[in-house]
Amino acid sequence: MTDTAFTAQDIATFLQENPGFFDEHAEVFATLQVPHPHGSRAISLGERQILTLRERTRELEWRLNELVRNATANETIGSHVAKWCCRLLSECDPQLVPGEIALGLAEQFELNHVALRLWNLSELPDQGYGEPVSEDVRTFTDSLKTPYVGADTAFEAVAWLDAKPKSLALVPLRLEADGAAVGLLVLGSDDPERFTPEMGTTFLESVGQLASAALHRLNPASPKA
């Protein structure tokens, strides 16, 4: 007689090709013992399936809760952005728009430190938000295609803040999408996790676009983006 050795794959293939095997041999299914996934004892195959389903259910619940948390956070952010936009739209004096951009963001999003500098706007005074900035700052801002977020506080623009933050966001402002920058918005937080390299910048990009749109009032002769 020739001995026949079955591999694990052979057995798995047989069971896949014979789905009625355990119906025909119910006693095998009832008495079959497999290792416990989180212990050393053996359990029945049915109990193992129940444990697997419970783990999958917990994973799905975690994912659902994460989606709910994200949706709630996004709804809150959307509400704050809407209130900030209302402030920008209701300001009748163009000279006060920069203050509404900076102070409005600080209030709506509870930011510890906010600074704003603007340039090349025809109706912008050369003091306050229009104070001169270095050519290095302008060149750096032009190079930002998306907002910077992170813990590096060595940027020259950080000196505009009243104190050094633990995390930072730098948002370039442009009157036209592909045009030269006309300003830099600096957002600082005492929370090192508020602005991190891992976070998305879609929200900050929207803030930059909305702030830039409002700045057209300080440069009425410019084409609208």
Side-chain angles (χ1 to χ4, degrees):
M1 179 180 294
T2 302
D3 292 335
T4 301
F6 293 101
T7 66
Q9 185 59 51
D10 291 332
I11 297 171
T13 300
F14 172 80
L15 292 175
Q16 289 173 344
E17 294 177 349
N18 297 270
F21 175 82
F22 286 114
D23 289 333
E24 299 171 4
H25 303 277
E27 73 285 355
V28 175
F29 183 86
T31 58
L32 189 63
Q33 299 285 300
V34 296
H36 192 286
H38 305 299
S40 57
R41 67 186 180 88
I43 57 176
S44 69
L45 184 60
E47 188 177 354
R48 174 62 182 268
Q49 288 179 311
I50 291 174
L51 289 175
T52 300
L53 289 174
R54 285 176 179 172
E55 290 178 355
R56 290 179 179 175
T57 299
R58 282 195 293 269
E59 182 180 351
L60 290 173
E61 288 177 348
W62 182 87
R63 291 181 179 178
L64 179 59
N65 289 335
E66 185 69 15
L67 289 173
V68 171
R69 285 194 295 271
N70 289 339
T72 301
N74 289 336
E75 183 179 6
T76 300
I77 290 174
S79 175
H80 287 308
V81 168
K83 292 177 181 178
W84 176 61
C85 285
C86 286
R87 290 184 60 161
L88 296 180
L89 292 170
S90 62
E91 181 51 65
C92 298
D93 186 349
Q95 300 298 323
L96 299 181
V97 168
E100 290 297 341
I101 291 174
L103 299 178
L105 285 173
E107 292 177 9
Q108 288 298 324
F109 296 97
E110 299 181 350
L111 293 166
N112 305 112
H113 317 281
V114 176
L116 173 65
R117 291 291 186 275
L118 303 167
W119 53 86
N120 291 344
L121 298 173
S122 60
E123 302 297 323
L124 178 70
D126 58 2
Q127 68 271 356
Y129 295 108
E131 289 183 11
V133 300
S134 71
E135 190 61 33
D136 286 343
V137 167
R138 297 191 185 199
T139 301
F140 168 73
T141 305
D142 274 332
S143 72
L144 286 176
K145 302 308 178 185
T146 58
Y148 164 83
V149 288
D152 186 353
T153 58
F155 298 101
E156 181 180 340
V158 172
W160 303 344
L161 301 173
D162 56 358
K164 183 170 288 189
K166 296 292 182 62
S167 62
L168 183 72
L170 302 174
V171 185
L173 305 180
R174 293 179 169 85
L175 297 184
E176 301 176 40
D178 297 322
V182 297
L184 181 62
L185 186 59
V186 184
L187 310 177
S189 175
D190 293 334
D191 179 1
E193 300 300 320
R194 182 70 181 271
F195 300 111
T196 65
E198 294 77 23
M199 68 181 288
T201 59
T202 301
F203 159 67
L204 292 172
E205 289 175 26
S206 297
V207 165
Q209 292 167 357
L210 292 167
S212 296
L215 291 175
H216 277 282
R217 300 177 63 188
L218 287 170
N219 209 56
S222 68
K224 300 300 185 288

